[in-house]
């Protein structure tokens, strides 16, 4: 009886973990990556190394296990049913975390779509959603491009990619090396466009430029074997910038000078850690990056949906809103699913304060 029970448990575990090898993704050949000046000694490199402070891991572990922050909202995050696209101007729909739909001069660009329940290779572990997606991924309108900033689980989700393969025909625009994951997941080669920093492609009249970011990558034990990027989206009449995940660095001013001004920026503000200043911006740095980029309207992303940092759930947006007011920066803070008209944004209603500490 014990033998049969152990066999059944082993079979159940094997079934549960059946997707684990695929979750880890593929590996691009070094020859394919070596064309990049940012790839050296088998790894991609930031312009400037930003190492963690001594003792950072121990302090972070203590904070994660013993910190008193309220890392989840006190109630249900309000969701809005997304509106259909209008085909002109600039409109932004935030679906939670960094997942956003950009309507830019008639084109539809989907950024870092993650509809999965957990951002983890394991179905039973890792950060879990704090709110549902405001609409099923199958309900998305037909998009012209799916843009991925890097290969971390909270930005590149296997289940979502599989759904988009079934329901969309758009190409995936990704940083160098990330195409190996997509090929492992049976995305057709003709739907994969890999870019190095400063390289671009044009889709539906919109130039998509991979721009520099300061971050890291990796889905398994090895880090930095694929590139990470931010993106400038240049339409016939308007421009939008997406930071991806990044620390604050001088490249933003350079990007603003070369590709700005931008009508709107989607700026990462959450999951910052004091001891790792080089990989995620604080909210105040996010405002500074927006100004460097010569941005018009700032829309914060990378907060609210998954617990990835040690701060209170609402701290990122509270600090962002305060800094934006202090520096006279126009900001919109939509609820998940809420569409922002960049030309005429609604006044900020601090809906998150009902759910904060």
């Amino acid at each position: 009886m014990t033998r049969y029970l152990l066999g059944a448990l082993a079979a159940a575990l094997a079934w549960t973990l059946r997707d684990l090898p695929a979750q880890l993704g593929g590996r691009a050949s070094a020859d394919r990556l070596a064309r990049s000046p940012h790839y050296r000694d088998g790894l991609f490199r930031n312009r400037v190394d930003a190492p963690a402070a001594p003792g950072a891991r121990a302090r972070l572990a203590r904070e994660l296990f013993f910190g008193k922050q309220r890392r989840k909202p006190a109630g249900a995050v309000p969701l809005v049913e997304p509106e259909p696209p209008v085909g002109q101007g600039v409109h932004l729909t935030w679906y939670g975390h960094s997942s956003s739909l950009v309507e830019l001069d008639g084109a539809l660009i989907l950024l870092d779509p993650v509809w999965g329940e957990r951002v983890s290779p394991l179905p039973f572990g890792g950060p879990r959603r704090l709110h549902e997606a405001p609409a099923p991924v199958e309900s998305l309108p037909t998009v012209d491009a799916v843009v991925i900033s890097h290969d971390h689980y909270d930005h590149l989700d296997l289940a979502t990619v599989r759904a988009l393969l079934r329901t969309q025909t758009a190409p995936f625009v990704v940083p160098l090396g990330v195409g190996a994951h997509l090929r492992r997941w049976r995305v057709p080669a003709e739907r994969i466009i890999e870019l190095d920093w400063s390289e671009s492609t044009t889709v539906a009249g919109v130039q998509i430029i991979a721009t520099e970011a300061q971050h890291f990558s990796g889905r398994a034990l090895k880090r930095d074997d694929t590139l990470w990027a931010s993106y400038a989206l240049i339409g016939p009449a308007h421009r939008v910038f997406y930071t991806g995940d990044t620390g604050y660095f001088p490249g933003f001013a350079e990007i603003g000078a070369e590709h700005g001004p931008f009508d709107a920026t989607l700026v990462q503000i959450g999951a910052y850690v004091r001891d790792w200043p080089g990989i995620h911006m604080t909210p105040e740095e996010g405002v500074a990056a927006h100004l460097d980029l010569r941005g018009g309207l700032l829309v914060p992303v990378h907060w609210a949906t998954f617990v990835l940092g040690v701060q209170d759930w609402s701290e990122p947006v509270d600090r962002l809103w305060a800094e934006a007011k202090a520096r006279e920066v126009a900001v919109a803070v939509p609820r998940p699913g809420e569409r922002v008209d960049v030309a005429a944004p609604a006044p900020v209603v601090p809906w998150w304060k009902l759910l904060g500490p």
Side-chain angles (χ1 to χ4, degrees), residues 88-125:
Q88 59 184 353
V90 187
H91 299 80
L92 308 173
T93 302
W94 178 56
Y95 283 82
H97 197 55
S98 294
S99 303
S100 305
L101 182 65
V102 178
E103 302 173 47
L104 181 58
D105 297 336
L108 296 181
I109 312 295
L110 183 62
L111 303 176
D112 281 350
V114 172
W115 261 254
E117 182 65 18
R118 292 186 185 272
V119 287
S120 166
L122 301 173
F124 51 79

Side-chain angles (χ1 to χ4, degrees), residues 35-288:
R35 68 182 178 88
S36 171
H38 316 296
Y39 186 77
R40 301 188 300 277
D41 301 322
L43 299 174
F44 284 98
R45 310 281 181 170
N46 288 306
R47 183 194 310 195
V48 178
D49 287 333
R57 284 183 171 80
R59 285 191 294 273
L60 178 59
R62 285 197 299 271
E63 199 69 17
L64 284 171
F65 287 104
F66 303 112
K68 303 300 183 182
Q69 301 91 343
R70 179 179 288 174
R71 298 182 189 128
K72 296 182 179 180
V77 174
L79 306 179
V80 176
E81 184 176 352
E83 300 178 44
V86 298
Q88 59 184 353
V90 187
H91 299 80
L92 308 173
T93 302
W94 178 56
Y95 283 82
H97 197 55
S98 294
S99 303
S100 305
L101 182 65
V102 178
E103 302 173 47
L104 181 58
D105 297 336
L108 296 181
I109 312 295
L110 183 62
L111 303 176
D112 281 350
V114 172
W115 261 254
E117 182 65 18
R118 292 186 185 272
V119 287
S120 166
L122 301 173
F124 51 79
R128 190 173 186 173
R129 280 187 169 272
L130 300 177
H131 65 81
E132 295 180 0
V137 66
E138 292 81 6
S139 71
L140 285 168
T142 300
V143 302
D144 296 294
V146 180
V147 173
I148 306 296
S149 65
H150 62 296
D151 71 357
H152 285 158
Y153 290 93
D154 58 319
H155 295 261
L156 180 63
D157 176 54
L158 171 57
T160 304
V161 169
R162 286 174 171 170
L164 293 173
L165 277 177
R166 295 193 306 268
T167 60
Q168 302 279 347
T169 60
F172 290 81
V173 181
V174 301
L176 282 178
V178 177
H181 302 320
L182 300 182
R183 287 187 288 274
R184 173 79 183 270
W185 300 341
R186 300 184 180 180
V187 177
E190 62 270 18
R191 289 185 64 179
I192 302 172
I193 301 171
E194 291 188 77
L195 301 177
D196 199 354
W197 294 340
S198 299
E199 292 183 342
S200 69
T201 187
T202 299
V203 177
V206 171
Q207 186 183 18
I208 302 172
I209 306 170
T211 47
E212 187 178 357
Q214 183 173 282
H215 197 53
F216 69 105
S217 65
R219 294 179 72 83
L221 296 178
K222 186 175 181 180
R223 283 177 44 161
D224 301 341
D225 54 349
T226 65
L227 188 60
W228 46 95
S230 57
Y231 288 94
L233 310 177
I234 312 298
H238 300 92
R239 300 176 178 224
V240 171
F241 187 81
Y242 170 47
T243 65
D245 279 11
T246 180
Y248 179 71
F249 74 117
F252 289 125
E254 297 165 11
I255 294 166
E258 183 174 359
H259 300 299
F262 294 96
D263 297 272
T265 65
L266 293 147
V267 177
Q268 167 262 310
I269 66 163
Y272 42 88
V273 178
R274 180 187 58 194
D275 286 328
W276 270 287
I279 61 172
H280 283 150
M281 291 187 289
T282 66
E284 294 78 12
E285 289 170 333
V287 172

